[in-house]
Amino acid sequence: MENKPKKPTPSIKQNHGRHQDPVARRSNFDEVALGFGLEEAVTEAARCLNCKNKPCELACPVNVRIPEFVDLVHKEDLGAAASKIFETSLFPAICGRVCPQETYCEAACVLKDRFGPVSIGRLERFTADYARKNGLIKPPACAPDTGRKVACVGSGPTSLAVAAELRKLGHAVTVFEALHEFGGVLSYGIPTFRLPREVVRFEVDMLRKMGVRLLKNVMVGKSITIDELKKDFDVIYIGSGAGLPTPMNAPGEDLVGVYSSNEFLTRVNLMEAYKFPAVDTPYYVGKRVVVVGGGNTAMDSARCAMRLKPERVTLLYRRTRAEMPARGEEVENAMEEGIKFEFLTAPVELEGDEKGRLKRVKCVRMELGAPDASGRRRPVPQKGSEFYIEADSLVVAIGQSPNPVIQQTTAGLSVNKWGGIITEEATGKTSLDGIYAGGDVVRGGATVLLAMKDGKAAARAIHEKLSAKVN
Ligand code: FAD
Ligand code: SF4
């Protein structure tokens, strides 16, 4: 690139990358964030001070070598930049898109308060996309086969991280996935306008090229039990996620037109209902959609609903914007797309018509009281504040709990009161010898990076166990 800015140029304004126009994107499922071109990436990379104590890298749950890869982007050595990220993360095009950098690496960037942080997530995404499109990504080398066999249950980020790490160390890994597509929430939950399917498929395919066996349509606990798997595998890692919807327990939740976010997102994303009638999966949202919740799942549900072209989408959240657990960028995107936010509002009853279809939602206004167990101020209903919102459909996105099948079919596996598998934090060891677990089935709904972090920690412990057996 000619006229490349010399490093460091921290005071150049932070570049957040280009985005699809908010009105145009309301009617398509194409990616919203368009990212950087080479020139923008190199200019953004020039802002980095290459801090010796690496605060950004230390704040990253998987310790991506941030200053080094950003420096390589500035030098336009993108193959080397991609390899540098690969040293600690095999899924940079995914993480560059969906990780909450604003709470991890970018929050720790020394430039944050004066000029805005280096756009680390956008640079990671650019590097991974460039390397993928230009054939610069080679699967990492794997050690000679050890003869040890590991089964991973589920193919979400936590199992993918375990599979990658253990395969590199020469162990034979088989992944069992209940659905017909690999990737867990990355495929069935997060919409294509945030994470295109081909990105997930490419990064999953990397594992296949490394020799990981990926089996789909196998529900462990039903098609085959953990005890049966134990006969064929030295170690089992459970990464079955948290896909069990939390109901509101409000009267009327069984009316036609009321969905759990899980059903709604699976239908729209995984089954591609938005292409109906070109695909078999129908959908119904009607003219007025209400979404309940304040996390990423609620934002994704509301933004998917908006793309199905109703007249309006209203999001109800019982606290204020400051307490919303969703990524800031996703809240902004949702607002730009015209979703109406009703803060300090909770549904108390769903009313239907004579055919059992949802007609309107009785709501109550809340105020914030003393902090609850989560440290956030508890929402308290305001007396006499009831009001109604007309609605044809409603999506409940107020949280998920661990998938229960394995816990119910595996004797001796210790679980907590929410159904999460209890593990030793540093290793992922469960109450049963040779069985490890991590990600959302343990944490009960966290982030992609924490799921990967658990997977990497368990992989270290599993390798230690298997090496002891080998010697
Ligand atoms: P999952 O991704 O849930 O994968 C578990 C897999 O196991 C699934 O494929 C499931 O089908 C399979 N499975 C379950 N039971 C069985 C069984 N018995 N046998 C075989 N397979 C089984 N995090 C972020 O960092 N950024 C985001 O922007 C973000 N957005 C999100 C949006 C939505 C809609 C949701 C629901 C979550 C989001 N998250 C986000 C959270 C993040 O996706 C999860 O924390 C992460 O995917 C957890 O990874 P996991 O591997 O533990 O589980
Ligand atoms: Fe660069 Fe910011 Fe990391 Fe310092 S903290 S190395 S400026 S990205």
Side-chain angles (χ1 to χ4, degrees):
M1 176 186 145
E2 284 172 34
N3 304 324
K4 172 160 71 174
K6 283 216 170 65
K7 268 185 97 175
T9 51
S11 60
I12 294 179
K13 201 167 168 281
Q14 179 191 10
N15 186 346
H16 295 274
R18 286 164 289 122
H19 289 79
Q20 224 197 115
D21 172 72
V23 175
R25 72 189 191 225
R26 283 209 309 234
S27 52
N28 69 56
F29 278 75
D30 299 340
E31 199 167 7
V32 166
L34 301 174
F36 288 154
L38 178 65
E39 194 164 324
E40 292 160 302
V42 171
T43 304
E44 185 63 17
R47 300 180 62 231
C48 175
L49 302 176
N50 212 346
C51 306
K52 289 285 160 289
N53 52 355
K54 308 179 182 189
C56 48
E57 184 172 318
L58 295 176
C60 168
V62 295
N63 304 117
V64 168
R65 311 259 182 265
I66 294 167
E68 288 165 85
F69 103 75
V70 171
D71 192 45
L72 288 162
V73 173
H74 182 249
K75 290 178 176 139
E76 295 179 50
D77 192 349
L78 293 158
S83 303
K84 187 53 71 184
I85 303 175
F86 258 55
E87 286 176 15
T88 53
S89 167
L90 266 192
F91 312 107
I94 294 171
C95 292
R97 286 174 165 84
V98 302
C99 283
Q101 290 94 9
E102 69 277 10
T103 53
Y104 296 136
C105 55
E106 292 181 13
C109 177
V110 295
L111 302 183
K112 182 171 159 261
D113 292 336
R114 281 194 72 190
F115 306 112
V118 173
S119 287
I120 300 167
R122 291 279 187 265
L123 287 173
E124 183 181 26
R125 171 196 153 148
F126 168 77
T127 305
D129 286 357
Y130 185 96
R132 182 177 76 250
K133 288 176 189 158
N134 291 282
L136 302 177
I137 298 180
K138 303 267 172 297
C142 298
D145 286 348
T146 60
R148 299 288 154 193
K149 290 162 74 181
V150 179
C152 292
V153 181
S155 66
T158 201
S159 288
L160 297 182
V162 171
E165 295 302 315
L166 291 177
R167 186 64 207 116
K168 275 196 270 183
L169 293 164
H171 305 301
V173 183
T174 305
V175 173
F176 295 90
E177 168 55 53
L179 297 174
H180 64 270
E181 181 86 36
F182 300 109
V185 170
L186 307 175
S187 291
Y188 81 76
I190 300 182
T192 50
F193 54 80
R194 285 214 289 136
L195 181 60
R197 271 321 147 257
E198 65 268 21
V199 169
V200 181
R201 288 190 185 133
F202 180 89
E203 298 198 344
V204 169
D205 212 38
M206 177 87 65
L207 294 183
R208 212 175 264 122
K209 289 184 181 141
M210 289 164 69
V212 173
R213 236 173 117 216
L214 291 146
L215 305 178
K216 54 188 174 185
N217 300 317
V218 187
M219 167 74 85
V220 176
K222 291 230 189 288
S223 320
I224 185 165
T225 63
I226 291 284
D227 287 333
E228 284 163 341
L229 282 179
K230 265 161 81 179
K231 293 179 194 147
D232 288 327
F233 293 90
D234 297 289
V235 166
I236 299 166
Y237 181 78
I238 305 172
S240 48
L244 190 69
T246 305
M248 296 191 300
N249 293 325
E253 216 167 334
D254 54 352
L255 288 166
V256 177
V258 181
Y259 300 89
S260 70
S261 56
N262 198 285
E263 182 194 344
F264 183 69
L265 289 172
T266 304
R267 198 173 263 272
V268 176
N269 293 326
L270 188 71
M271 310 305 289
E272 302 187 314
Y274 64 92
K275 294 181 183 165
F276 187 80
V279 297
D280 291 338
T281 315
Y283 67 85
Y284 168 77
V285 289
K287 291 184 179 164
R288 297 149 307 181
V289 188
V290 169
V291 176
V292 185
N296 285 321
T297 312
M299 293 312 121
D300 284 344
S301 300
R303 297 176 69 201
C304 277
M306 186 53 115
R307 284 158 173 78
L308 301 174
K309 307 188 182 71
E311 280 171 9
R312 63 160 197 258
V313 178
T314 309
L315 186 128
L316 312 181
Y317 180 54
R318 60 194 188 137
R319 293 184 165 98
T320 72
R321 181 170 179 181
E323 288 85 23
M324 282 189 123
R327 295 185 64 197
E329 181 181 341
E330 304 313 329
V331 178
E332 271 162 39
N333 282 337
M335 287 180 165
E336 279 175 11
E337 286 165 16
I339 289 151
K340 185 173 179 224
F341 282 62
E342 291 278 3
F343 291 111
L344 290 167
T345 303
V348 285
E349 188 175 346
L350 312 183
E351 293 183 4
D353 62 15
E354 60 291 346
K355 289 185 179 147
R357 283 187 172 277
L358 178 69
K359 204 170 139 214
R360 61 179 192 166
V361 183
K362 184 177 180 185
C363 300
V364 64
R365 297 283 184 202
M366 315 293 279
E367 58 195 358
L368 293 183
D372 62 14
S374 73
R376 292 179 303 172
R377 291 177 63 196
R378 187 191 298 275
V380 184
Q382 288 182 35
K383 248 195 176 150
S385 64
E386 288 81 2
F387 69 102
Y388 289 89
I389 298 179
E390 303 295 313
D392 303 300
S393 60
L394 179 141
V395 183
V396 183
I398 57 169
Q400 271 120 247
S401 355
N403 287 325
V405 176
I406 291 170
Q407 295 85 319
Q408 288 163 357
T409 54
T410 313
L413 188 63
S414 297
V415 295
N416 61 29
K417 63 177 172 180
W418 298 281
I421 298 177
I422 297 173
T423 59
E424 191 182 276
E425 205 185 321
T427 60
K429 275 186 193 165
T430 68
S431 53
L432 295 174
D433 185 39
I435 303 200
Y436 295 71
D440 280 6
V441 73
V442 170
R443 295 176 181 270
T447 64
V448 171
L449 265 184
L450 289 175
M452 283 173 59
K453 182 184 176 192
D454 287 352
K456 291 183 79 166
R460 278 193 295 274
I462 293 171
H463 178 58
E464 219 168 89
K465 181 181 175 72
L466 295 177
S467 307
K469 270 196 176 180
V470 170
N471 295 330

